Amino acid sequence: KFPDDLEAKAFLALQMYRNVKAKKNYATIEKLIANILAKNPLHPCHHYRIHLWDYKDPKRAVPSIGQCGQASPSIAHMWHMPGHILSRLKRYHDATWQQEASARVDHANMMRDRVMPDEIHNFAHNNEWLTRNLDYAGRVHHAVTMAKNMIELPRLPRVKDDGTWTIATRSSHVYGRRHLHGLLANYELWDEILALKDTHYLRPGNSAADKAKHWRLVSSAHFNTGKINEGNTILVLMEKLLTKQRDGKTKAGEAAAAKANTEKKKESDVRKAKSAAERNYNTAITALERGIAEAKMHRAFQAGNKEEAKANFAKAGSFRNDRKAVIQLRLGNTAEAIKLAESAVKSGAEQARPLAAQAYILHAAGKPAEAKAAIEHLRRIAPQLDLDTECFARLAPLAKSLNLPADWRQAQPAAKDMGLRPDLDSLGPFRWEPSAAPSWTLPDRNNKEFSLASLRGKPVLLIFYLGMGCLHCMEQLNKFDPVADRFSRQGISIFAVSSDTVAGLKDTFI
């Protein structure tokens, strides 16, 4: 009825895309969107076009990647969606820009409006994808910073009626822990691991599997930095825990089988019961066996014992192919190293770390033409990779042989399909930070002045209450009183701020 109404056309395009019962007519929807954009090039229906072609044919959405964010610059998701297309096209350098723009807009809005990070839909999704793409682009330091910031964010637990709670598996915290561990291990950031090993960034949970994962990382770092005694100390802990887990598995299996036999169950059900009881121990046992093997492999390399290193490498498992390739080179298996590096580049197409491993191995193998092709490819796709990271720093001899400068990275011209990019700092900060509490000075129950400024930099829990006349307030205070020591042991001070008189404060304290 209203052919000139662009909003009507936009809503029609959206509804046609979202209609799950009808077979999507992609060409018709695209025609509608193109018609809108012909009249208003910055209409936010760029967002619809990106969703339309995201899984179908990403190249068809390229005309919108440079316009989507600019169409609605204060909406983080509008900067994020072009990152979908760029990631699918393996343009990781450009994808990181889009996802960083999204993160910065979200951070600015949250810090302004005092919204908790994971309360925003897709916030964790964007930032974990940003961290992943920073990794793929070789921007290791930024990736580590973002992963650590995700761990630092306030956690929003799911609390049950019985008081128990969990953190969602797709929360910023869980994503951050996973990515940080992967970055530290895959880039072999040994010094960083030792600096973080006792902090909340890496401190393990109570499960045996968590401890195994942590000890594998830390013991490997000790051996690779020449701290042999410290590495051996952790190896002893891992082996003791492995013995304990194996014993626990045996006892649990025997107890389950005995119970099933007592209940006169058939033999197949007895085996199932035994297997189910043992299963709880399998993850930790595998993690410990592999962790011990990797630690011993690094120790053997330090001692110059290639045979022992080789034997433990075979047991360690769970290495990415680019790491496997470099280890095989160290073991003297050059042909296998080249083969694994090629496989890593194929499975991690257009990613910086596999290409760097391939270039390094080909140069060491005396294949100058192939090594040159690999490093030139790397220079094209990763103009901002971190040269000081060992993964890339070890390419210096290859770069020198090609008469490249010490900073052999290659500046990349701005992509013509990315639109007019604003300065990222103008969109918001790279990391989320909590708002500073307003400063105040108030009399305590002894009528002495107390200032919040005296606690700056320390964790504080503030409880605001009306006064002793408020029954709900007193109920809350009396809930905290028995656990105040537990908070104190964690270094958290508790203060209650009231609108009561000093005399009322004394009565409340009693």
Side-chain angles (χ1 to χ4, degrees):
K1 286 185 179 180
F2 305 98
D4 295 327
D5 189 335
L6 298 187
E7 301 313 300
K9 288 183 179 179
F11 282 120
L12 176 59
L14 176 64
Q15 196 57 39
M16 290 172 70
Y17 167 74
R18 295 174 70 177
N19 189 347
V20 294
K21 292 182 180 179
K23 185 177 180 180
K24 288 185 178 63
N25 189 329
Y26 286 86
T28 301
I29 301 171
E30 169 62 32
K31 188 175 179 180
L32 265 174
I33 292 171
N35 185 277
I36 297 166
L37 294 173
K39 295 184 179 180
N40 180 2
L42 281 180
H43 192 284
C45 68
H46 286 291
H47 178 203
Y48 304 161
R49 174 186 271 165
I50 290 173
H51 275 290
L52 178 68
W53 296 113
D54 191 5
Y55 292 97
K56 181 75 171 174
D57 185 0
K59 288 182 181 178
R60 296 288 299 272
V62 168
S64 284
I65 60 176
Q67 304 296 322
C68 191
Q70 287 89 331
S72 301
S74 64
I75 298 176
H77 187 66
M78 295 290 277
W79 295 104
H80 165 80
M81 281 311 300
H84 277 239
I85 301 302
L86 292 164
S87 292
R88 298 203 193 287
L89 297 176
K90 297 180 174 26
R91 290 171 53 179
Y92 298 117
H93 172 66
D94 289 327
T96 60
W97 191 94
Q98 291 294 150
Q99 289 157 340
E100 184 175 334
S102 175
R104 285 174 178 267
V105 170
D106 258 343
H107 294 159
N109 290 341
M110 290 185 295
M111 290 163 68
R112 182 193 66 216
D113 298 335
R114 302 195 179 197
V115 175
M116 291 294 100
D118 280 2
E119 288 181 324
I120 289 185
H121 177 64
N122 271 344
F123 171 76
H125 163 67
N126 177 78
N127 284 17
E128 81 85 16
W129 201 340
L130 167 60
T131 306
R132 201 164 4 121
N133 280 346
L134 286 167
D135 172 9
Y136 294 164
R139 295 173 60 189
V140 188
H141 302 319
H142 276 82
V144 168
T145 297
M146 181 53 68
K148 287 168 72 175
N149 189 232
M150 283 193 283
I151 297 169
E152 295 162 353
L153 299 176
R155 277 171 272 177
L156 301 178
R158 293 171 175 170
V159 184
K160 298 179 183 177
D161 291 340
D162 62 1
T164 59
W165 55 272
T166 56
I167 298 294
T169 55
R170 294 188 177 186
S171 69
S172 292
H173 183 83
V174 174
Y175 280 136
R177 294 272 296 191
R178 186 187 311 153
H179 279 307
L180 180 61
H181 192 281
L183 288 161
L184 295 173
N186 293 328
Y187 281 99
E188 299 185 342
L189 304 176
W190 308 125
D191 290 331
E192 185 93 8
I193 291 166
L194 296 182
L196 297 176
K197 66 183 177 66
D198 296 320
T199 69
H200 64 287
Y201 296 112
L202 286 185
R203 194 178 298 123
N206 293 323
S207 73
D210 268 1
K211 289 176 181 176
K213 187 178 177 181
H214 177 76
W215 284 338
R216 176 175 185 167
L217 199 63
V218 176
S219 60
S220 297
H222 279 314
F223 287 129
N224 276 282
T225 53
K227 297 180 174 65
I228 308 302
N229 290 337
E230 291 87 340
N232 285 332
T233 298
I234 294 179
L235 258 178
V236 170
L237 294 173
M238 294 171 79
E239 286 167 340
K240 282 183 178 178
L241 185 57
L242 177 58
T243 300
K244 184 177 179 181
Q245 290 296 302
R246 284 173 173 166
D247 289 346
K249 177 179 178 177
T250 300
K251 289 175 183 176
E254 289 173 349
K259 182 174 181 292
N261 282 319
T262 301
E263 294 169 354
K264 301 189 183 305
K265 290 188 176 181
K266 56 185 181 182
E267 190 176 335
S268 61
D269 289 335
V270 173
R271 288 197 300 270
K272 284 180 183 177
K274 183 175 184 290
S275 178
E278 292 174 340
R279 197 175 298 124
N280 293 329
Y281 294 87
N282 289 342
T283 300
I285 289 172
T286 300
L288 285 161
E289 288 172 343
R290 290 179 173 181
I292 289 167
E294 181 177 353
K296 287 182 176 179
M297 179 193 76
H298 292 301
R299 184 176 66 179
F301 271 130
Q302 286 291 311
N305 189 337
K306 284 188 179 181
E307 286 305 311
E308 186 182 342
K310 182 179 180 180
N312 282 292
F313 170 59
K315 298 175 187 175
S318 62
F319 292 111
R320 290 190 176 272
N321 274 348
D322 54 289
R323 282 191 76 194
K324 282 184 183 177
V326 174
I327 292 169
Q328 288 285 17
L329 184 69
R330 292 183 71 183
L331 290 170
N333 302 326
T334 306
E336 182 63 17
I338 293 172
K339 183 180 175 182
L340 281 167
E342 185 179 357
S343 175
V345 169
K346 284 182 180 177
S347 61
E350 302 301 297
Q351 294 176 22
R353 194 178 67 243
L355 265 171
Q358 185 182 49
Y360 171 69
I361 289 165
L362 289 169
H363 179 62
K367 294 181 177 292
E370 294 95 325
K372 179 182 178 182
I375 195 173
E376 290 296 348
H377 189 169
L378 178 61
R379 295 176 74 210
R380 285 195 303 274
I381 66 164
Q384 292 181 304
L385 61 79
D386 292 323
L387 279 175
D388 59 342
T389 303
E390 176 60 21
C391 172
F392 305 118
R394 63 187 171 210
L395 295 178
L398 169 59
K400 187 176 181 181
S401 73
L402 297 171
N403 295 317
L404 296 175
D407 184 348
W408 47 264
R409 295 174 296 184
Q410 181 174 297
Q412 191 180 70
K416 294 179 180 178
D417 53 15
M418 292 297 293
L420 297 172
R421 291 179 172 183
D423 178 60
L424 284 169
D425 285 336
S426 71
L427 298 176
F430 183 66
R431 291 180 294 185
W432 181 89
E433 291 182 0
S435 306
S439 186
W440 47 260
T441 301
L442 296 169
D444 64 14
R445 67 177 185 275
N446 298 314
N447 212 20
K448 292 183 178 178
E449 285 197 341
F450 182 85
S451 172
L452 184 64
S454 64
L455 299 169
R456 183 68 61 197
K458 300 175 183 177
V460 180
L461 174 63
L462 284 180
I463 303 170
F464 295 93
Y465 72 105
L466 296 173
M468 192 175 180
C470 170
L471 294 177
H472 295 295
C473 300
M474 299 312 298
E475 183 180 358
Q476 184 184 34
L477 290 179
N478 284 322
K479 287 282 188 183
F480 275 99
D481 187 56
V483 294
D485 285 344
R486 285 174 56 193
F487 278 84
S488 181
R489 286 195 296 272
Q490 297 294 329
I492 302 169
S493 302
I494 303 179
F495 292 88
V497 180
S498 173
S499 57
D500 213 338
T501 62
V502 170
L505 290 179
K506 289 184 176 181
D507 289 340
T508 300
F509 185 72
I510 295 169

